Amino acid sequence: MNARVLVIDDEPQIVRVLRTVLEKHGYQTDTALTGRAALAAAARRPPALVVVDLDLPDMKGVEIIRSLRRWSRAPIIVLSGRARSGDKVDALDAGADDYVTKPFSTDELLARLRAALRRAGDVSDIAQVRVGGHMVDLARHVVLGPEGEVELTPTEWEVLEMLVRNVGKLISQPQLLTEVGGADYLRESNSLRVLLTRLRHKLEYDPARPRHLITEPGMGYRFSA
Amino acid sequence: MTSATSAAPAEGSALPRLRLCGAPAGWLVCAAMVAALTGAIGLLQPYLPVPGLAALYLLTVLPAAVVWGFAHAVAVSVVGIAAFNFFYTPPAYQLAPEAWGDWFALTILAVTALVVSELATWSRRQAQEAALLARVAAALLEHGEVSGHLERMTADALGAGKAQILLDTGPAHGTGGECHPLAVGGRQVGTIVLRQLPRRGAAARRRVLPALASLLGVAIDRERLARQALEAETLRRSDAVKTAILQAVSHDLRTPLMAILTSAGALARRGMALDDCDRADLLSTVLEEAGRLDRLVGNLLDLSRLQAGAAEPLADVVAVDDLVVAALDQLTDQAGRVRPSFPWDPPAVRVDPHQMERVLVNLVENALKYSLASEPVFVRVTATCSETLIRVIDHGPGVAAAESQRIFAAFQRGPGSGSVRGAGLGLAIAEGFAEANGGRIWLESHEGQGATFVLALPVWHLETQL
């Protein structure tokens, strides 16, 4: 890949593991143990992606994100502890793109890295995608299932498309609502989650154990390949 | 002549008061007594020597002095002797001022009147002050504090318009009114501030104040000691809890640590001929046990946050099915045994998603631990328009009715849990988080039927928010 990743974490063990894993997968890795060092490193050698821990000693993760976002559009993935989701939401609001909860599996981190690095243009030529037992044809706007065609409402299509084109990425509810037409109605009736439930019922093998259309409560939605 | 006015009305006087309507009635009664006695003497006259009979007027002077005071008693003496002199001392039906025996009797009666009325007043006053102190003591011991009621009582008894009792203060600044320090054994325990004082009664106040001070001193000390005892008890109890936690937890922390150290140590040794299978085994042990440690530490942190009242929920509107799905996602190892089911339109709830996930994870983990690996665990979600119920159902040994409350306490394990690992925190945390988010948890089933834990959450409706 050779994309440059900047890892910002004050725990040397985590940094060591991340560097090993990332370099094994072909990423160039820069590391920083403090916020200030991180901003300096980012300015010196602009990264293609930033992984930042929220609990740093000198600066809060959210501040680092805000500083970076002043001049960089590189995707930012946040590492956070399990508890207070308020930090994660603040980080997303400040401009982070995704999050990974510690302790994380390296597979999960790598998948989110890949998703984050994928630019929208890279997936514009995805014509078809499998969801459950269904084949979703984005070009022809048709969903074919084992029992024939499945009807989706226009809003359901828009939501599905947006999630699919950002496969693997976390899309927050405000993000989704901005993109989708009929957003005012959805926001007012709070039926975005109902829409997701409907999609799951229509497309997933087991709506109770969704594999593709994932809701992360309090955070957002993700289409998992 | 202060005795008449110092016999002021006060509650609790032990002496009889024939105060029917005040002084006028007193005069009437005295007049009646004198008349009656004079009449009686007339009847006795044929049988007893006349001069001695004057002594009988003592029977009217004594009650008059005791009940109404000196003025009444003297009046009774004068009128009585005059009547005696008029009716019975020769010459009859005529005042005889030269009968010196009558004058003598009058003098004796007047002296008696004075002495007895003073004694009565003094006695009454003693009784009043004793009654006041008794009441103060009772009030202090009952309430342990100085109340307005107490201050009013004190003001009444001391004849002041207003009284204020300040505890634990140094010398009071002049706030208008007379300040008296209340000192016990050389130690100042407070101050009484008296306002609107009449001139008289200073002597009474001087008498009462030391006794009042002692009582207050005792009350203050008692309060202080009670407080200290309470603090000591609280401290002791929290220490006991901490010790119990340390004991319960150290075992559950060390067991996985030992497993990790052993496995990792074996992996690190160079001399050992480990094939891929062995290596994979050891590594998976390390991962599993580390996961267990992680969960235990997480539980301890959650519990301590709950107990410290620091578990403020960050509420968000989420769908119930999303919560369950996210919780089940965290149970990767035995997830296959769980069978969730939802209504077609799962309701929304307004809860902290992370905390609710912990509740569900704990409930489902318990269900998985306490039932056989071959049996499924059901998660059934139902809803009415006001409440949604999430039932976690297992077919293990269940919980006895007698235990159904106790199991929610921290560090409690069910009786049949000998071989099951865990420090017994899951249900305590689940209950804590559920309640913090406006829900409740309870056990619905009994021994022999498996266990059904129910989590109830209020349904969030958009319309109610608009």
Side-chain angles (χ1 to χ4, degrees):
Chain A
M1 281 254 167
N2 280 325
R4 185 180 297 283
V5 176
L6 173 61
V7 173
I8 314 171
D9 197 319
D10 65 321
E11 282 171 64
Q13 317 84 286
I14 305 268
V15 169
R16 200 164 56 208
V17 167
L18 283 175
R19 185 195 277 283
T20 314
V21 167
L22 289 173
E23 283 178 357
K24 261 266 161 354
H25 285 81
Y27 296 96
Q28 284 186 340
T29 319
D30 286 339
T31 62
L33 295 172
T34 66
R36 247 177 289 273
L39 292 174
R44 222 178 17 244
R45 296 200 290 194
L49 182 139
V50 177
V51 174
V52 59
D53 186 306
L54 285 183
D55 295 314
L56 289 170
D58 63 334
M59 284 170 80
K60 306 203 71 169
V62 177
E63 284 176 55
I64 300 178
I65 295 171
R66 280 199 202 107
S67 302
L68 283 171
R69 275 283 170 261
R70 272 194 271 260
W71 56 269
S72 166
R73 291 181 38 189
I76 299 178
I77 295 184
V78 159
L79 293 178
S80 73
R82 222 183 337 198
R84 316 277 290 170
S85 60
D87 293 347
K88 293 194 282 254
V89 170
D90 289 340
L92 291 180
D93 286 341
D97 295 88
D98 209 334
Y99 71 98
V100 170
T101 321
K102 293 194 281 199
F104 51 85
S105 83
T106 41
D107 285 344
E108 198 183 331
L109 177 65
L110 287 169
R112 300 208 177 166
L113 264 173
R114 275 196 299 272
L117 283 171
R118 207 178 293 125
R119 286 184 298 274
D122 291 349
V123 296
S124 60
D125 44 357
I126 286 187
Q128 295 172 330
V129 68
R130 280 208 156 271
V131 182
H134 304 83
M135 178 63 74
V136 177
D137 193 324
L138 293 169
R140 295 191 299 143
H141 255 230
V142 150
V143 176
L144 288 171
E147 284 142 31
E149 201 176 311
V150 176
E151 280 292 325
L152 295 183
T153 69
T155 323
E156 284 171 359
W157 263 114
E158 291 193 50
V159 169
L160 181 61
E161 249 177 300
M162 182 174 185
L163 289 174
V164 165
R165 293 204 187 289
N166 287 284
V167 54
K169 286 197 205 172
L170 175 76
I171 310 288
S172 69
Q173 188 157 1
Q175 257 178 301
L176 199 52
L177 288 173
T178 340
E179 295 290 329
V180 163
D184 291 335
Y185 166 72
L186 283 178
R187 200 190 331 263
E188 273 169 34
S189 65
N190 200 40
S191 48
L192 186 54
R193 54 162 190 85
V194 174
L195 189 146
L196 256 301
T197 309
R198 271 207 313 269
L199 274 177
R200 283 207 281 266
H201 275 280
K202 287 183 184 176
L203 300 178
E204 295 265 8
Y205 274 127
D206 182 0
R209 310 299 294 273
R211 288 190 124 85
H212 300 279
L213 297 160
I214 311 285
T215 300
E216 296 180 14
M219 304 301 297
Y221 307 95
R222 197 190 299 270
F223 184 84
S224 179
Chain B
M1 307 261 182
T2 59
S3 39
T5 45
S6 60
E11 300 169 357
S13 165
L15 298 168
R17 287 176 300 118
L18 296 167
R19 209 162 253 282
L20 300 165
C21 316
W27 295 111
L28 277 174
V29 173
C30 289
M33 279 197 301
V34 168
L37 190 63
T38 310
I41 289 178
L43 294 172
L44 291 171
Q45 198 195 24
Y47 308 102
L48 294 168
V50 163
L53 289 175
L56 282 176
Y57 281 95
L58 207 53
L59 294 175
T60 56
V61 168
L62 284 180
V66 165
V67 179
W68 289 287
F70 185 65
H72 290 69
V74 156
V76 160
S77 317
V78 167
V79 170
I81 293 298
F84 182 75
N85 182 283
F86 183 81
F87 286 109
Y88 305 114
T89 303
Y93 301 100
Q94 233 183 332
L95 279 178
E98 69 281 0
W100 63 270
D102 287 349
W103 284 108
F104 183 68
L106 180 58
T107 314
I108 298 297
L109 285 179
V111 168
T112 310
L114 177 64
V115 169
V116 170
S117 61
E118 281 300 303
L119 267 176
T121 307
W122 180 82
S123 191
R124 211 191 320 272
R125 194 171 46 219
Q126 291 290 87
Q128 278 170 30
E129 286 167 13
L132 165 70
L133 289 173
R135 229 171 311 121
V136 167
L140 281 175
L141 288 175
E142 193 185 309
H143 303 294
E145 57 170 10
V146 173
S147 63
H149 176 68
L150 187 60
E151 288 174 338
R152 273 194 299 282
M153 266 185 345
T154 313
D156 283 343
L158 295 179
K162 270 183 60 161
Q164 207 183 350
I165 302 180
L166 305 165
L167 295 174
D168 281 341
T169 55
H173 320 292
T175 40
E178 212 174 283
C179 296
H180 292 273
L182 296 171
V184 176
R187 195 167 48 103
Q188 177 155 2
V189 293
T191 314
I192 281 191
V193 182
L194 298 167
R195 296 199 175 84
Q196 300 162 27
L197 286 170
R199 209 82 57 99
R200 46 185 174 70
R205 287 195 285 283
R206 273 199 300 277
R207 272 195 304 272
V208 167
L209 283 174
L212 198 58
S214 307
L215 284 175
L216 286 173
V218 166
I220 292 167
D221 266 349
R222 201 186 77 122
E223 209 185 307
R224 188 170 50 85
L225 287 171
R227 238 194 340 257
Q228 281 176 353
L230 190 62
E231 283 170 11
E233 176 63 20
T234 311
L235 212 58
R236 189 195 66 82
R237 226 180 278 145
S238 99
D239 271 347
V241 166
K242 284 191 199 131
T243 311
I245 291 180
L246 279 174
Q247 282 172 349
V249 159
S250 59
H251 170 75
D252 288 296
L253 282 176
R254 306 209 74 196
T255 315
L257 273 175
M258 289 304 121
I260 292 171
L261 284 170
T262 318
S263 307
L267 284 165
R269 275 189 58 148
R270 266 188 263 201
M272 288 195 135
L274 292 169
D275 62 12
D276 282 345
C277 213
D278 294 334
R279 197 165 271 120
D281 258 345
L282 290 170
L283 282 170
S284 84
T285 304
V286 170
L287 281 170
E288 253 174 54
E289 296 298 310
R292 196 164 274 139
L293 260 184
D294 182 44
R295 275 195 295 281
L296 178 58
V297 170
N299 274 346
L300 285 171
L301 283 174
D302 282 339
L303 189 65
S304 81
R305 242 183 253 123
L306 276 168
Q307 289 183 336
E312 276 300 311
L314 284 174
D316 224 338
V317 177
V318 291
V320 154
D321 55 339
D322 290 334
L323 278 179
V324 173
V325 164
L328 294 181
D329 254 355
Q330 294 182 34
L331 295 165
T332 41
D333 43 349
Q334 298 208 58
R337 286 175 55 199
V338 184
R339 313 249 190 282
S341 69
F342 307 107
W344 167 252
D345 188 7
V349 291
R350 192 162 185 277
V351 294
D352 181 317
H354 165 72
Q355 288 178 352
M356 273 308 118
E357 276 173 37
R358 304 284 299 134
V359 173
L360 292 168
V361 163
N362 284 349
L363 289 177
V364 175
E365 260 183 350
N366 262 7
L368 289 170
K369 274 198 291 204
Y370 287 94
S371 58
L372 294 175
S374 55
E375 284 180 348
V377 164
F378 299 95
V379 177
R380 256 181 223 135
V381 180
T382 55
T384 63
C385 72
S386 61
E387 213 176 37
T388 177
L389 300 176
I390 305 169
R391 284 188 172 78
V392 178
I393 304 166
D394 74 64
H395 293 288
V399 179
E403 299 283 311
S404 59
Q405 278 301 313
R406 200 179 66 85
I407 48 173
F408 285 98
F411 301 105
Q412 295 300 322
R413 315 266 313 276
S417 59
S419 60
V420 176
R421 298 180 61 182
L425 298 175
L427 283 177
I429 292 171
E431 189 180 42
F433 278 149
E435 285 179 0
N437 282 275
R440 11 187 255 291
I441 294 189
W442 67 92
L443 177 63
E444 202 174 55
S445 62
H446 305 290
E447 203 159 17
Q449 301 171 11
T452 298
F453 283 90
V454 189
L455 167 66
L457 293 170
V459 170
W460 184 88
H461 291 287
L462 183 67
E463 307 77 57
T464 57
Q465 310 307 314
L466 295 174

